[in-house]
Structure formats: structure tokens, C-alpha cells
Amino acid sequence: MQYSLQGAMTALITPFKNGKLDEVQYAKLIERQIKNNIDVVVPVGTTGESATLNHEEHRRCIEIAVDVCAKSNVKVLAGAGSNATHEAIDLAKFAQSHGAHAILSVTPYYNKPTQEGLFLHYQAIANSVEIPVLLYNVPGRTGCDLLPDTIFRLFDACQNIFGVKEATGSIDRCVDLLAHQPNLSVFSGEDAINYPILSNGGSGVISVTSNILPDQIAELTHLALKGDYHGAKAINDSLYEINKILFCESNPIPIKAAMYIAGLIDTLEYRLPLCAPTPANMKRIENTLKKYTIKGF
């Protein structure tokens, strides 16, 4: 089965105010993404601090994203992962019932399943819903690596598993995946290498940087998908400095700080154990932002 989910996608931050989800600001941030040509928004992934949201907040973020995007052609790829399969299934079913176009499901963290356990985990999730399922491999965060052979098994076994968000940081891994299964949709999960992944046949990017520069990430992605690799590389090169500074501390610490400095969020709040960047890094982020044109609301 072929799915049309591709292009420039934003791994949305989750804004807080006085310790609670700032629903009004969240909707405004999504509207800004729509205005700046992003194809898909991704609520409650790693960048959305999903690990520290309660279940009610997680569901509410999905609801808001679906409601805001309903007025546009922008799709919602809802974060719906967990280290417990039954919880991941519950989130997947919720996302489907509330109109999400697809789900993004991170590998189970902490419990270190085997490859067979990963296969059974994702098979159970995929079989519980009808909407498309995108695998999410980020071993640096989860301590768990979804290997190519397991991805190929899942792609063959589950009709609605259509691809993977590749966040190992390895170009070799992306080449391996597409060389052996060219129908697999591979999405860049690391902004610094968006262009190399797209030029290797990637279907799009799931970007942190596009929270603050959605127009430029959208243009880069759309140029590459049209075959204008020269133009796409030029944008990727110009974004190198901001892509790197946004990972000077654990994501999403720097991107939230950048958005606060740029006036895109009213308060700089995180959920512990995440906290504000060091004063030195805050200054580095501020100095880097001066080199870019950031569109407001």
C-alpha cells in the first residue's frame, strides 16, 4: 500500500505556561507552521517532551494539532510511542479515532527488547489500527536499535507500516535501508544531514530546526523532492550552524530557548528533569539566531 505522507515535517515543541500545557500558544505555533509551507506536523514526539507529559496532556496535544490542521492541507503524524506495548496501542487507537493521519512510534526505551521483541511490539501496534504507522529509530535516546532486517520484516508483514524516521545519524544506515527496500519511506531525523538523506532517496524530514525556520526547511525539502539538489544543498549548508547549536544540549532544550529568544513562545519552561540551558549556551544560541531571518506569526 502506498501512502502520500512525505515532505517537510516539524517535530513540534510543547509550550508550557505556569507548569501546564499552553493550549493557545500551541495552536498558534501550529498555525505558523501551516503558513510557512510545512507539509506535516508531528505533535508529542521527542521534541514535544512526550516523556514527561501525562496521558491527558499527550492526548490533548494530538487533538489540538488535528483541530488546527483540519482547516488546511497539512497532515498530522501523531507521536504515539511507549516502552509498554499496551500503552502504545492505546495511544495509536486514540490518534486514529481523533483524526490523525498517521502515527509515529518510537522504539521501546529502557527495557531493551530483542529484535524479535521489537518485531512483535510493532506488529501488535500496526494490527491495532488502520492508519499508517511510521517506525522511529533513535537509539541514542532509547538504548534500543531497530535494525534493518527487522524493519524489512515489519514492512513486509504489516501493510500499514510504510517507513522509518531514521535518527541514528548514520548515512550508511540510510543507504542500507533504501538499497535493500527502495519502496520503504525513509525520513531524516537529524537536521544536519537532511540533504544527504533526501538526495539518497529519502521521502522527507522530521525536523527540530523547522520549529523556528519552517519556511527554510520546507523549501530545502521541496527542492530536493523535485530533484533540485543543488538548491537544496545550498539551504542545508546555510542552516548548518543553527542545526548544530540546536543540539548543544539535549533536545528540546536549545530549540525552546531559541524560540523564546525569537519571541515565538512567551515563557521558557521545561518539565524536569529538563531545565534551561547554561548562560553560556543561551548566549551562543542568541548569537547564532542573529544570522538568520526568522518569520513571526
Side-chain angles (χ1 to χ4, degrees), residues 85-126:
T85 305
H86 66 90
E87 285 191 0
I89 287 172
D90 286 346
L91 287 171
K93 288 181 175 179
F94 177 87
Q96 176 173 270
S97 69
H98 282 76
H101 299 87
I103 62 164
L104 176 69
S105 191
V106 71
T107 51
Y109 39 88
Y110 187 76
N111 44 23
K112 297 180 74 173
T114 63
Q115 293 300 304
E116 183 63 20
L118 288 170
F119 175 82
L120 294 171
H121 169 81
Y122 280 120
Q123 183 183 53
I125 294 169

CSV table of all heavy atoms in Angstrom, one decimal, residues 85-126:
chain,number,residue,atom,x,y,z
A,85,THR,N,3.9,-1.9,25.3
A,85,THR,CA,3.2,-2.1,24.0
A,85,THR,C,1.7,-1.8,24.2
A,85,THR,O,1.1,-1.1,23.3
A,85,THR,CB,3.3,-3.6,23.5
A,85,THR,OG1,4.7,-3.9,23.4
A,85,THR,CG2,2.6,-3.8,22.2
A,86,HIS,N,1.1,-2.1,25.3
A,86,HIS,CA,-0.3,-1.9,25.5
A,86,HIS,C,-0.6,-0.3,25.6
A,86,HIS,O,-1.6,0.1,25.1
A,86,HIS,CB,-0.9,-2.5,26.8
A,86,HIS,CG,-0.3,-2.0,28.1
A,86,HIS,ND1,-0.9,-1.0,28.8
A,86,HIS,CD2,0.8,-2.4,28.8
A,86,HIS,CE1,-0.1,-0.8,29.9
A,86,HIS,NE2,0.9,-1.6,29.9
A,87,GLU,N,0.3,0.4,26.2
A,87,GLU,CA,0.2,1.9,26.2
A,87,GLU,C,0.3,2.5,24.8
A,87,GLU,O,-0.4,3.4,24.4
A,87,GLU,CB,1.2,2.5,27.1
A,87,GLU,CG,0.9,2.4,28.6
A,87,GLU,CD,1.8,3.2,29.5
A,87,GLU,OE1,2.7,3.9,28.9
A,87,GLU,OE2,1.6,3.2,30.7
A,88,ALA,N,1.3,1.9,24.0
A,88,ALA,CA,1.4,2.4,22.6
A,88,ALA,C,0.2,2.1,21.8
A,88,ALA,O,-0.2,2.9,21.0
A,88,ALA,CB,2.7,1.8,22.0
A,89,ILE,N,-0.4,1.0,22.0
A,89,ILE,CA,-1.6,0.6,21.3
A,89,ILE,C,-2.8,1.6,21.7
A,89,ILE,O,-3.5,2.1,20.8
A,89,ILE,CB,-2.0,-0.8,21.6
A,89,ILE,CG1,-1.1,-1.8,20.8
A,89,ILE,CG2,-3.5,-1.1,21.1
A,89,ILE,CD1,-1.2,-3.2,21.2
A,90,ASP,N,-2.9,1.9,22.9
A,90,ASP,CA,-3.9,2.8,23.4
A,90,ASP,C,-3.8,4.2,22.7
A,90,ASP,O,-4.8,4.8,22.3
A,90,ASP,CB,-3.9,2.9,24.9
A,90,ASP,CG,-4.5,1.7,25.6
A,90,ASP,OD1,-5.1,0.9,25.0
A,90,ASP,OD2,-4.3,1.6,26.9
A,91,LEU,N,-2.5,4.7,22.7
A,91,LEU,CA,-2.3,6.0,22.1
A,91,LEU,C,-2.5,5.9,20.6
A,91,LEU,O,-3.1,6.9,20.0
A,91,LEU,CB,-0.8,6.4,22.4
A,91,LEU,CG,-0.5,6.9,23.8
A,91,LEU,CD1,1.0,7.1,24.0
A,91,LEU,CD2,-1.3,8.2,24.1
A,92,ALA,N,-2.1,4.8,19.9
A,92,ALA,CA,-2.4,4.7,18.5
A,92,ALA,C,-3.9,4.7,18.2
A,92,ALA,O,-4.3,5.4,17.3
A,92,ALA,CB,-1.7,3.4,18.0
A,93,LYS,N,-4.6,4.0,19.0
A,93,LYS,CA,-6.1,4.0,18.8
A,93,LYS,C,-6.7,5.3,19.0
A,93,LYS,O,-7.6,5.8,18.3
A,93,LYS,CB,-6.7,2.9,19.7
A,93,LYS,CG,-6.4,1.5,19.3
A,93,LYS,CD,-7.1,0.5,20.2
A,93,LYS,CE,-7.0,-0.9,19.8
A,93,LYS,NZ,-7.6,-1.9,20.7
A,94,PHE,N,-6.2,6.0,20.0
A,94,PHE,CA,-6.7,7.4,20.3
A,94,PHE,C,-6.4,8.3,19.1
A,94,PHE,O,-7.3,9.1,18.6
A,94,PHE,CB,-6.1,8.0,21.6
A,94,PHE,CG,-6.5,9.4,21.9
A,94,PHE,CD1,-7.7,9.6,22.6
A,94,PHE,CD2,-5.8,10.5,21.4
A,94,PHE,CE1,-8.1,10.9,22.8
A,94,PHE,CE2,-6.2,11.8,21.6
A,94,PHE,CZ,-7.4,12.0,22.3
A,95,ALA,N,-5.2,8.3,18.6
A,95,ALA,CA,-4.8,9.1,17.5
A,95,ALA,C,-5.7,8.9,16.3
A,95,ALA,O,-6.1,9.8,15.6
A,95,ALA,CB,-3.3,8.9,17.2
A,96,GLN,N,-5.9,7.6,16.0
A,96,GLN,CA,-6.8,7.2,14.9
A,96,GLN,C,-8.2,7.7,15.1
A,96,GLN,O,-8.8,8.3,14.1
A,96,GLN,CB,-6.8,5.7,14.7
A,96,GLN,CG,-7.7,5.3,13.6
A,96,GLN,CD,-7.6,3.8,13.3
A,96,GLN,OE1,-6.8,3.3,12.5
A,96,GLN,NE2,-8.4,3.0,14.0
A,97,SER,N,-8.7,7.6,16.2
A,97,SER,CA,-10.1,7.9,16.5
A,97,SER,C,-10.3,9.4,16.5
A,97,SER,O,-11.4,9.9,16.2
A,97,SER,CB,-10.6,7.4,17.8
A,97,SER,OG,-9.9,8.0,18.9
A,98,HIS,N,-9.3,10.2,16.7
A,98,HIS,CA,-9.4,11.7,16.7
A,98,HIS,C,-8.9,12.3,15.4
A,98,HIS,O,-8.6,13.5,15.4
A,98,HIS,CB,-8.7,12.2,17.9
A,98,HIS,CG,-9.5,12.1,19.2
A,98,HIS,ND1,-9.7,10.9,19.8
A,98,HIS,CD2,-10.3,12.9,19.8
A,98,HIS,CE1,-10.5,11.0,20.8
A,98,HIS,NE2,-10.9,12.2,20.9
A,99,GLY,N,-8.6,11.5,14.4
A,99,GLY,CA,-8.4,12.1,13.1
A,99,GLY,C,-7.0,12.3,12.6
A,99,GLY,O,-6.7,12.9,11.6
A,100,ALA,N,-6.0,11.8,13.4
A,100,ALA,CA,-4.6,11.8,13.0
A,100,ALA,C,-4.5,11.0,11.7
A,100,ALA,O,-5.1,10.0,11.5
A,100,ALA,CB,-3.7,11.3,14.0
A,101,HIS,N,-3.6,11.5,10.8
A,101,HIS,CA,-3.4,10.9,9.5
A,101,HIS,C,-2.5,9.6,9.6
A,101,HIS,O,-2.6,8.8,8.7
A,101,HIS,CB,-2.8,11.9,8.5
A,101,HIS,CG,-3.7,13.0,8.3
A,101,HIS,ND1,-3.7,14.2,9.0
A,101,HIS,CD2,-4.7,13.2,7.4
A,101,HIS,CE1,-4.6,15.0,8.6
A,101,HIS,NE2,-5.3,14.5,7.6
A,102,ALA,N,-1.6,9.6,10.6
A,102,ALA,CA,-0.7,8.5,10.8
A,102,ALA,C,-0.1,8.7,12.2
A,102,ALA,O,-0.3,9.7,12.9
A,102,ALA,CB,0.4,8.6,9.7
A,103,ILE,N,0.6,7.6,12.6
A,103,ILE,CA,1.3,7.7,13.9
A,103,ILE,C,2.8,7.5,13.8
A,103,ILE,O,3.2,6.8,12.9
A,103,ILE,CB,0.7,6.7,14.9
A,103,ILE,CG1,0.9,5.3,14.5
A,103,ILE,CG2,-0.7,7.0,15.3
A,103,ILE,CD1,0.7,4.2,15.6
A,104,LEU,N,3.5,8.1,14.7
A,104,LEU,CA,5.0,7.9,14.8
A,104,LEU,C,5.2,7.1,16.1
A,104,LEU,O,4.8,7.6,17.1
A,104,LEU,CB,5.7,9.2,14.8
A,104,LEU,CG,7.2,9.2,15.0
A,104,LEU,CD1,7.9,8.6,13.8
A,104,LEU,CD2,7.7,10.6,15.3
A,105,SER,N,5.9,6.0,16.0
A,105,SER,CA,6.0,5.1,17.1
A,105,SER,C,7.5,4.8,17.4
A,105,SER,O,8.1,4.1,16.7
A,105,SER,CB,5.2,3.8,16.9
A,105,SER,OG,5.1,3.0,18.1
A,106,VAL,N,8.0,5.4,18.5
A,106,VAL,CA,9.4,5.3,18.9
A,106,VAL,C,9.6,3.9,19.4
A,106,VAL,O,8.8,3.2,20.0
A,106,VAL,CB,9.8,6.3,19.9
A,106,VAL,CG1,9.1,6.0,21.3
A,106,VAL,CG2,11.3,6.5,20.1
A,107,THR,N,10.9,3.4,19.2
A,107,THR,CA,11.3,2.1,19.8
A,107,THR,C,11.1,2.1,21.3
A,107,THR,O,11.4,3.2,21.9
A,107,THR,CB,12.7,1.7,19.4
A,107,THR,OG1,13.6,2.9,19.7
A,107,THR,CG2,12.8,1.4,18.0
A,108,PRO,N,10.7,1.0,21.9
A,108,PRO,CA,10.6,1.0,23.4
A,108,PRO,C,11.9,1.3,24.1
A,108,PRO,O,12.9,0.7,23.8
A,108,PRO,CB,10.2,-0.5,23.7
A,108,PRO,CG,9.6,-0.9,22.4
A,108,PRO,CD,10.4,-0.2,21.3
A,109,TYR,N,11.8,2.3,25.0
A,109,TYR,CA,13.0,2.7,25.7
A,109,TYR,C,13.2,2.0,27.0
A,109,TYR,O,12.2,1.5,27.6
A,109,TYR,CB,13.0,4.2,25.9
A,109,TYR,CG,11.6,4.7,26.3
A,109,TYR,CD1,11.1,4.8,27.6
A,109,TYR,CD2,10.7,5.1,25.3
A,109,TYR,CE1,9.8,5.2,27.9
A,109,TYR,CE2,9.4,5.5,25.5
A,109,TYR,CZ,9.0,5.5,26.9
A,109,TYR,OH,7.7,5.9,27.1
A,110,TYR,N,14.3,1.9,27.6
A,110,TYR,CA,14.7,1.4,28.9
A,110,TYR,C,14.7,-0.1,29.0
A,110,TYR,O,15.6,-0.7,29.5
A,110,TYR,CB,13.8,2.0,30.0
A,110,TYR,CG,14.4,1.6,31.4
A,110,TYR,CD1,15.5,2.2,31.9
A,110,TYR,CD2,13.7,0.5,32.1
A,110,TYR,CE1,16.0,1.8,33.1
A,110,TYR,CE2,14.2,0.1,33.3
A,110,TYR,CZ,15.4,0.7,33.8
A,110,TYR,OH,15.9,0.3,35.0
A,111,ASN,N,13.7,-0.8,28.5
A,111,ASN,CA,13.6,-2.2,28.7
A,111,ASN,C,14.4,-3.1,27.8
A,111,ASN,O,14.5,-4.3,27.9
A,111,ASN,CB,12.1,-2.7,28.8
A,111,ASN,CG,11.3,-2.2,27.7
A,111,ASN,OD1,11.8,-1.7,26.6
A,111,ASN,ND2,10.0,-2.1,27.9
A,112,LYS,N,15.0,-2.5,26.7
A,112,LYS,CA,16.0,-3.2,25.8
A,112,LYS,C,15.5,-4.5,25.3
A,112,LYS,O,16.0,-5.6,25.5
A,112,LYS,CB,17.3,-3.4,26.6
A,112,LYS,CG,18.0,-2.1,27.0
A,112,LYS,CD,19.3,-2.3,27.7
A,112,LYS,CE,20.4,-2.8,26.7
A,112,LYS,NZ,21.7,-2.9,27.4
A,113,PRO,N,14.4,-4.4,24.5
A,113,PRO,CA,13.9,-5.6,23.8
A,113,PRO,C,14.8,-6.2,22.8
A,113,PRO,O,15.7,-5.5,22.2
A,113,PRO,CB,12.6,-5.2,23.2
A,113,PRO,CG,12.8,-3.7,22.9
A,113,PRO,CD,13.6,-3.2,24.1
A,114,THR,N,14.7,-7.5,22.5
A,114,THR,CA,15.4,-8.1,21.4
A,114,THR,C,14.8,-7.7,20.1
A,114,THR,O,13.7,-7.1,20.0
A,114,THR,CB,15.3,-9.6,21.5
A,114,THR,OG1,13.9,-10.0,21.4
A,114,THR,CG2,15.9,-10.1,22.8
A,115,GLN,N,15.4,-8.0,19.0
A,115,GLN,CA,14.8,-7.7,17.7
A,115,GLN,C,13.5,-8.4,17.5
A,115,GLN,O,12.6,-7.9,16.9
A,115,GLN,CB,15.8,-8.1,16.6
A,115,GLN,CG,17.1,-7.2,16.5
A,115,GLN,CD,16.8,-5.8,16.4
A,115,GLN,OE1,16.2,-5.4,15.4
A,115,GLN,NE2,17.3,-4.9,17.3
A,116,GLU,N,13.4,-9.6,18.0
A,116,GLU,CA,12.1,-10.3,17.9
A,116,GLU,C,11.0,-9.6,18.8
A,116,GLU,O,9.9,-9.5,18.3
A,116,GLU,CB,12.2,-11.8,18.4
A,116,GLU,CG,11.0,-12.6,18.3
A,116,GLU,CD,10.5,-12.8,16.9
A,116,GLU,OE1,11.3,-12.7,15.9
A,116,GLU,OE2,9.3,-13.2,16.7
A,117,GLY,N,11.4,-9.1,19.9
A,117,GLY,CA,10.5,-8.3,20.7
A,117,GLY,C,10.1,-7.1,20.0
A,117,GLY,O,8.9,-6.7,20.1
A,118,LEU,N,11.0,-6.4,19.3
A,118,LEU,CA,10.6,-5.2,18.6
A,118,LEU,C,9.7,-5.6,17.4
A,118,LEU,O,8.7,-4.8,17.2
A,118,LEU,CB,11.9,-4.6,18.0
A,118,LEU,CG,12.8,-3.9,19.0
A,118,LEU,CD1,14.1,-3.5,18.4
A,118,LEU,CD2,12.1,-2.7,19.6
A,119,PHE,N,9.9,-6.7,16.8
A,119,PHE,CA,9.0,-7.1,15.7
A,119,PHE,C,7.6,-7.3,16.2
A,119,PHE,O,6.6,-6.8,15.7
A,119,PHE,CB,9.5,-8.4,15.0
A,119,PHE,CG,8.6,-8.9,14.0
A,119,PHE,CD1,8.6,-8.4,12.7
A,119,PHE,CD2,7.7,-9.9,14.3
A,119,PHE,CE1,7.7,-8.9,11.7
A,119,PHE,CE2,6.8,-10.4,13.3
A,119,PHE,CZ,6.8,-9.9,12.1
A,120,LEU,N,7.5,-8.0,17.3
A,120,LEU,CA,6.2,-8.3,17.9
A,120,LEU,C,5.5,-7.1,18.5
A,120,LEU,O,4.3,-6.9,18.3
A,120,LEU,CB,6.3,-9.4,19.0
A,120,LEU,CG,6.8,-10.8,18.6
A,120,LEU,CD1,7.1,-11.6,19.8
A,120,LEU,CD2,5.8,-11.4,17.7
A,121,HIS,N,6.3,-6.2,19.0
A,121,HIS,CA,5.8,-4.9,19.5
A,121,HIS,C,5.1,-4.1,18.4
A,121,HIS,O,4.0,-3.7,18.5
A,121,HIS,CB,6.9,-4.1,20.1
A,121,HIS,CG,6.6,-2.7,20.5
A,121,HIS,ND1,6.0,-2.3,21.6
A,121,HIS,CD2,6.9,-1.5,19.8
A,121,HIS,CE1,5.9,-1.0,21.7
A,121,HIS,NE2,6.4,-0.5,20.6
A,122,TYR,N,5.9,-3.9,17.3
A,122,TYR,CA,5.3,-3.1,16.2
A,122,TYR,C,4.2,-3.8,15.4
A,122,TYR,O,3.3,-3.2,14.9
A,122,TYR,CB,6.5,-2.7,15.3
A,122,TYR,CG,7.3,-1.5,15.8
A,122,TYR,CD1,8.6,-1.6,16.0
A,122,TYR,CD2,6.7,-0.3,16.0
A,122,TYR,CE1,9.4,-0.5,16.5
A,122,TYR,CE2,7.4,0.8,16.5
A,122,TYR,CZ,8.7,0.7,16.7
A,122,TYR,OH,9.4,1.8,17.2
A,123,GLN,N,4.3,-5.1,15.4
A,123,GLN,CA,3.3,-5.8,14.7
A,123,GLN,C,1.9,-5.7,15.4
A,123,GLN,O,0.9,-5.5,14.8
A,123,GLN,CB,3.6,-7.3,14.6
A,123,GLN,CG,2.6,-8.2,13.9
A,123,GLN,CD,3.0,-9.7,13.9
A,123,GLN,OE1,3.3,-10.2,14.9
A,123,GLN,NE2,3.1,-10.2,12.7
A,124,ALA,N,2.0,-5.7,16.8
A,124,ALA,CA,0.8,-5.6,17.6
A,124,ALA,C,0.2,-4.2,17.4
A,124,ALA,O,-1.0,-4.0,17.3
A,124,ALA,CB,1.1,-5.8,19.0
A,125,ILE,N,1.1,-3.1,17.4
A,125,ILE,CA,0.6,-1.8,17.2
A,125,ILE,C,0.0,-1.6,15.8
A,125,ILE,O,-1.1,-1.1,15.7
A,125,ILE,CB,1.8,-0.8,17.3
A,125,ILE,CG1,2.3,-0.8,18.8
A,125,ILE,CG2,1.3,0.6,16.9
A,125,ILE,CD1,3.6,0.0,19.0
A,126,ALA,N,0.7,-2.1,14.8
A,126,ALA,CA,0.2,-1.9,13.4
A,126,ALA,C,-1.2,-2.6,13.2
A,126,ALA,O,-2.1,-2.1,12.5
A,126,ALA,CB,1.2,-2.4,12.4
